[in-house]
Amino acid sequence: MPPISPMVKNLLIANVLVFLAVQALGTNSDFALQTILFPPSEEKFQVWQLVTHAFRHDGFQHLAFNMLGLYFLGPMVEQRIGPKKFLTLYFVALAGAVIFHLASPTISIWQMQQAYDVFMADPSLENFNAFFSGRDLRALVYGNQNAATAAGELEDLFAFGDYSGDVVAEASALMQQMMDYRRGAPMLGASGAVSGVAAAFAVLNPNTKLSPLFIPIGFPAKYFIPFLFLIDLVLGVLNLAGDNIAHFAHIGGAVFGALLAWYFVKTTVPPHMKRWS
């Protein structure tokens, strides 16, 4: 691996500085809330969030995972196409991640709508639980209480056979708020842009062998990296319980990064091959 390159170094520093600032100011501070990306349909949306969210991370592990990917793969991509084109690729991949992420709730909302319709046609404890299966309610406020508490109270009422109109209406309102919340779920992290860098690496260095962590077997990048994004696609479609990863953002970043890298392959002379005039 070549030494750390200029743009990769600057991006690493920027991400770490923003992370430290959030830790110092608090995750509920105005700075923290104004720098994650809310959907454009939300009142909290600000245009700068399209960029700032890529420098925000939900904890040290999230930051470390993304920065390690950038550190190991980024320098070789930057060395091949040059600093300016590398920075362009990074933010084009970020744009692809945003586009795919904002479109991705369609699948989840469709699944929730199907479960909602089943419950309304046949209100039962089983159908109520089926709607909320795998849904993280801890961050959602319903009325003057946490949505998880409200769901637990409704579950108790259904368990004791209370299917009165008021109780079903309350369950319906909670379900609709959950769907609204899913539509407005915020996004943060550099993973979409880093996915673009990874995909670009596979385009630019297809036969370079990469090894998964703690596995001493290398696989050509042209097979290994697409396989990782195939897993992302499967998990994004399955939408498994408790999975809060923005899989479609990864895919969007990878698609845009790979396409731009392919274009650069056709049009860019590697910096180390350029002659002095």
Side-chain angles (χ1 to χ4, degrees):
M1 190 185 83
I4 189 169
S5 50
M7 283 301 174
V8 169
K9 180 176 70 175
N10 291 337
L11 288 168
L12 290 172
I13 292 172
N15 276 276
V16 170
L17 288 177
V18 172
F19 177 77
L20 293 176
V22 171
Q23 297 306 303
L25 296 171
T27 55
N28 291 321
S29 65
D30 287 341
F31 175 79
L33 296 176
Q34 288 290 325
T35 49
I36 59 179
L37 176 62
F38 289 93
S41 58
E42 292 290 302
E43 292 183 1
K44 295 179 181 178
F45 170 77
Q46 300 292 342
V47 67
W48 60 75
Q49 295 171 359
L50 294 169
V51 174
T52 58
H53 81 276
F55 296 90
R56 285 290 321 281
H57 290 86
D58 185 22
F60 177 77
Q61 185 177 358
H62 188 203
L63 172 73
F65 184 82
N66 282 332
M67 294 304 99
L68 284 173
L70 181 60
Y71 174 78
F72 283 116
L73 300 178
M76 283 181 274
V77 175
E78 183 174 341
Q79 183 184 65
R80 173 62 176 81
I81 63 178
K84 292 183 179 179
K85 286 186 171 65
F86 176 82
L87 193 63
T88 298
L89 185 144
Y90 190 86
F91 284 104
V92 166
L94 177 62
V98 170
I99 291 170
F100 275 55
H101 174 74
L102 293 179
S104 67
T106 302
I107 296 174
S108 178
I109 294 299
W110 180 83
Q111 293 172 332
M112 295 171 75
Q113 185 65 52
Q114 299 304 303
Y116 173 80
D117 291 341
V118 170
F119 173 80
M120 294 306 295
D122 178 22
S124 67
L125 176 61
E126 180 182 2
N127 290 335
F128 178 81
N129 288 336
F131 178 92
F132 288 105
S133 176
R135 308 295 176 190
D136 188 354
L137 299 175
R138 292 170 296 179
L140 178 61
V141 176
Y142 178 73
N144 59 356
Q145 62 182 332
N146 184 274
T149 302
E153 293 175 353
L154 287 167
E155 186 177 20
D156 290 341
L157 291 172
F158 289 141
F160 284 101
D162 187 351
Y163 293 100
S164 63
D166 289 343
V167 174
V168 172
E170 193 74 13
S172 172
L174 180 59
M175 290 177 177
Q176 291 185 33
Q177 184 162 332
M178 184 64 196
M179 287 189 282
D180 289 340
Y181 174 76
R182 180 66 184 90
R183 292 187 185 97
M187 173 185 178
L188 74 165
S191 55
V194 174
S195 293
V197 173
F201 182 91
V203 171
L204 298 170
N205 306 280
N207 296 314
T208 299
K209 289 189 175 181
L210 300 174
S211 300
L213 289 176
F214 310 117
I215 299 179
I217 301 175
F219 302 93
K222 62 184 177 182
Y223 302 128
F224 180 64
I225 290 178
F227 175 72
L228 295 180
F229 291 121
L230 177 61
I231 294 175
D232 259 322
L233 178 61
V234 172
L235 292 176
V237 171
L238 291 177
N239 191 32
L240 298 175
D243 185 356
N244 294 320
I245 297 174
H247 295 289
F248 287 104
H250 297 174
I251 296 167
V255 169
F256 277 54
L259 289 174
L260 190 56
W262 180 83
Y263 172 76
F264 286 154
V265 165
K266 304 296 183 183
T267 60
T268 304
V269 177
H272 67 275
M273 292 179 62
K274 292 181 179 178
R275 294 188 176 185
W276 295 98
S277 57

